[in-house]
Amino acid sequence: MHRPTQIVCVFLLLFLTTTLSFSQSKKQLELEERRQELRNEIKQINELLFKDKSKKKSQTTLIEDLNYKVSVRKNLIMVTNQQANLLTREINDNQNKITELRDELEVLKENYAKMIVTSYKSKSEQSRVMFLLSSTNFKQAYKRIQYLNQYANYQKEQGVAIKTKTTELQETNKALLKQKADKQKLIEENRIAQRELETELAQQQQLMAAINKNLNNYTAQIREKQREADKIDREIEKIIREAIAASNKKAGKSTATSTSFALTPEAKALAKDFVSNKGKLLWPVEKGVVKVRYGKQPHPVVKTVTIQSNGVRIATEKNADVRAIFNGEVMRIITSKNGNPTVLIQHGNYITAYSNMAKIYVKKGDKVSTKEVIGQVFTNPSNGETILNFSIFKETKTVNPAEWIYRM
């Protein structure tokens, strides 16, 4: 193989090794970030759903909370396993790297030793001055000076290379020891998580056995709750349609066929800001876990029943403040005989809905700013549950809040 080809191969190998190492480290950071998120979520679940044991929860609520906790715990175990497996690969890579570095260091030391011996012999046979004086002409003497300088520089480079390679070997050894310690820590944490999961699964089975005895009653309760949720959603859609018609009438446009808001320049700018913050909007409560997510899905307890969630159900702490997720104007406060109030806030052609409120601090027409407290979440006195139902509408159509709220 020609020398240029060898150099290209060496550089290519170095590039691939560095790229692989970088991608593994990046993946490890991503997994660690996700693992910490899941650990924090379990902590919040314990604080918000399992802390107050004095309140008697219904069996469906208990199993719902436990199912949620089990699913998060399973995800935590899975992510931790992925981390441990990735660390195993990184440990193997570093062990191979250490072997290669030791071999390279050995070759460097051997070459350096030979160079020193050769240099010593040449000095004993003939001095530098005599070597130069024996030149036949000035040009040859000049070339010999260059050669001697190059040889001396090469010796220095070899010495630096040995020092660099030794340092690299030491750092790789340190990294290897840390990786082994990290892996052992992950394994221990996963053992604890696995034991906790087994306990939760046993509780889950007991509760499900009791629920299956009265499955028809629970199914009827779930469908009744779905009807109540659908009724609120229809009421919100009706209010939004009326607001769309009013905005078009005010702008001198047809109200019969209008499905979109006739926005003022100010409202257009607000809508644009709202959209530009997609994925970065703050949570409507300071602390919370999403018990029911957006969309059509099997009920978390009775899997044979399908539910349609046009928003998210967020479990939070007692007396939790509800915050406007973005600048806007209070469109309407909805009150109903059987349910708790809902606050609608308009952000251009987007509307956010905050349902199951206990206290409301705003009124129709109020301008609100991001993070402004608009009320408090209702806490059910019979079971201690504090649930905020939260939705986002674009015109009359719902959108998935998880795509808009930061890390929901």
Side-chain angles (χ1 to χ4, degrees):
M1 190 183 288
H2 296 296
R3 186 169 179 78
T5 308
Q6 286 179 321
I7 292 168
V8 170
C9 289
V10 169
F11 274 113
L12 184 61
L13 182 62
L14 284 170
F15 173 76
L16 291 172
T17 306
T18 306
T19 305
L20 181 63
S21 175
F22 174 75
S23 63
Q24 284 185 345
S25 298
K26 185 182 176 184
K27 182 66 175 174
Q28 193 66 262
L29 288 172
E30 289 171 357
L31 287 170
E32 177 59 20
E33 186 179 4
R34 179 62 182 145
R35 189 173 73 90
Q36 292 303 330
E37 283 176 0
L38 290 166
R39 287 183 69 188
N40 289 334
E41 192 171 355
I42 288 174
K43 185 181 177 183
Q44 285 213 73
I45 289 169
N46 286 332
E47 288 177 356
L48 299 174
L49 304 181
F50 293 92
K51 195 173 183 179
D52 191 358
K53 295 182 180 178
S54 62
K55 296 290 183 182
K56 185 67 176 175
K57 289 185 180 181
S58 66
Q59 285 184 316
T60 49
T61 301
L62 277 171
I63 190 67
E64 193 176 308
D65 292 350
L66 196 56
N67 282 351
Y68 178 35
K69 191 177 178 181
V70 163
S71 69
V72 177
R73 181 90 65 194
K74 284 179 178 178
N75 280 336
L76 176 62
I77 290 169
M78 180 186 70
V79 169
T80 308
N81 276 333
Q82 287 175 343
Q83 267 191 285
N85 291 337
L86 183 57
L87 271 174
T88 300
R89 290 197 292 274
E90 289 179 354
I91 286 167
N92 290 337
D93 287 346
N94 271 344
Q95 284 174 333
N96 292 333
K97 187 179 177 183
I98 285 169
T99 302
E100 289 171 6
L101 284 170
R102 281 176 179 158
D103 291 343
E104 289 172 14
L105 190 58
E106 193 63 34
V107 171
L108 280 170
K109 286 180 177 178
E110 283 178 11
N111 290 340
Y112 190 71
K114 287 176 184 177
M115 196 185 305
I116 295 299
V117 170
T118 304
S119 178
Y120 178 78
K121 284 180 178 179
S122 66
K123 279 183 181 179
S124 62
E125 291 170 5
Q126 178 175 347
S127 70
R128 177 186 173 96
V129 176
M130 289 302 296
F131 179 62
L132 294 173
L133 290 175
S134 64
S135 303
T136 56
N137 54 49
F138 178 79
K139 187 177 179 180
Q140 189 183 56
Y142 178 72
K143 285 184 177 181
R144 287 185 176 184
I145 289 171
Q146 283 185 315
Y147 167 75
L148 290 170
N149 288 337
Q150 286 172 358
Y151 193 73
N153 289 334
Y154 183 64
Q155 280 184 313
K156 288 178 184 176
E157 287 171 6
Q158 288 295 96
V160 170
I162 290 170
K163 187 177 179 181
T164 302
K165 198 65 71 176
T166 303
T167 303
E168 191 179 350
L169 180 60
Q170 289 169 346
E171 292 300 320
T172 306
N173 268 317
K174 284 181 188 176
L176 181 63
L177 290 172
K178 186 179 183 302
Q179 285 169 335
K180 286 181 176 179
D182 289 345
K183 183 183 173 182
Q184 192 57 39
K185 185 181 176 184
L186 288 173
I187 290 169
E188 290 300 324
E189 285 186 14
N190 239 11
R191 282 175 185 159
I192 295 168
Q194 195 67 46
R195 285 197 294 269
E196 289 171 341
L197 177 63
E198 287 167 6
T199 302
E200 289 159 1
L201 287 171
Q203 293 171 357
Q204 191 183 52
Q205 286 177 350
Q206 289 176 354
L207 286 166
M208 280 307 300
I211 285 171
N212 286 331
K213 289 178 182 178
N214 298 296
L215 195 59
N216 290 337
N217 290 338
Y218 290 124
T219 302
Q221 288 173 21
I222 291 164
R223 285 178 175 151
E224 178 57 32
K225 283 185 179 181
Q226 181 69 62
R227 283 191 289 271
E228 289 173 8
D230 291 343
K231 186 179 178 182
I232 293 170
D233 288 338
R234 285 195 299 272
E235 180 67 18
I236 293 171
E237 288 173 22
K238 180 186 173 186
I239 289 167
I240 294 172
R241 281 196 298 270
E242 289 171 355
I244 288 171
S247 71
N248 281 277
K249 184 178 180 181
K250 189 176 179 181
K253 297 180 179 179
S254 170
T255 59
T257 57
S258 297
T259 57
S260 301
F261 282 99
L263 299 176
T264 63
E266 182 186 7
K268 282 181 181 178
L270 180 61
K272 186 179 179 182
D273 286 346
F274 188 84
V275 172
S276 69
N277 281 277
K278 186 177 182 180
K280 297 179 285 186
L281 296 168
L282 84 161
W283 282 61
V285 287
E286 191 175 347
K287 290 182 180 179
V289 290
V290 178
K291 285 186 65 175
V292 177
R293 294 195 168 271
Y294 176 84
K296 187 175 281 189
Q297 58 201 282
H299 188 270
V301 178
V302 183
K303 303 294 183 182
T304 54
V305 178
T306 301
I307 59 171
Q308 175 63 44
S309 174
N310 287 330
V312 291
R313 282 204 303 154
I314 303 171
T316 185
E317 56 193 347
K318 188 176 180 181
N319 301 323
D321 287 331
V322 180
R323 313 177 297 183
I325 67 162
F326 201 71
N327 300 332
E329 182 179 325
V330 179
M331 176 187 280
R332 187 79 69 88
I333 311 293
I334 305 174
T335 54
S336 59
K337 291 180 182 179
N338 299 326
N340 293 307
T342 297
V343 177
L344 300 181
I345 298 177
Q346 186 174 358
H347 319 271
N349 60 334
Y350 288 86
I351 295 94
T352 48
Y354 312 76
S355 300
N356 199 34
M357 304 281 280
K359 296 178 182 179
I360 296 171
Y361 305 144
V362 291
K363 62 184 185 300
K364 182 181 176 180
D366 282 355
K367 299 280 187 182
V368 294
S369 56
T370 303
K371 213 173 182 179
E372 182 177 336
V373 176
I374 61 171
Q376 270 188 8
V377 189
F378 175 76
T379 299
N380 190 324
S382 63
N383 59 23
E385 272 198 306
T386 308
I387 303 287
L388 177 72
N389 298 318
F390 175 75
S391 306
I392 302 178
F393 291 78
K394 182 183 180 183
E395 318 289 2
T396 57
K397 303 295 183 183
T398 58
V399 296
N400 187 353
E403 295 174 359
W404 292 78
I405 305 298
Y406 180 67
R407 289 189 174 180
M408 178 169 276

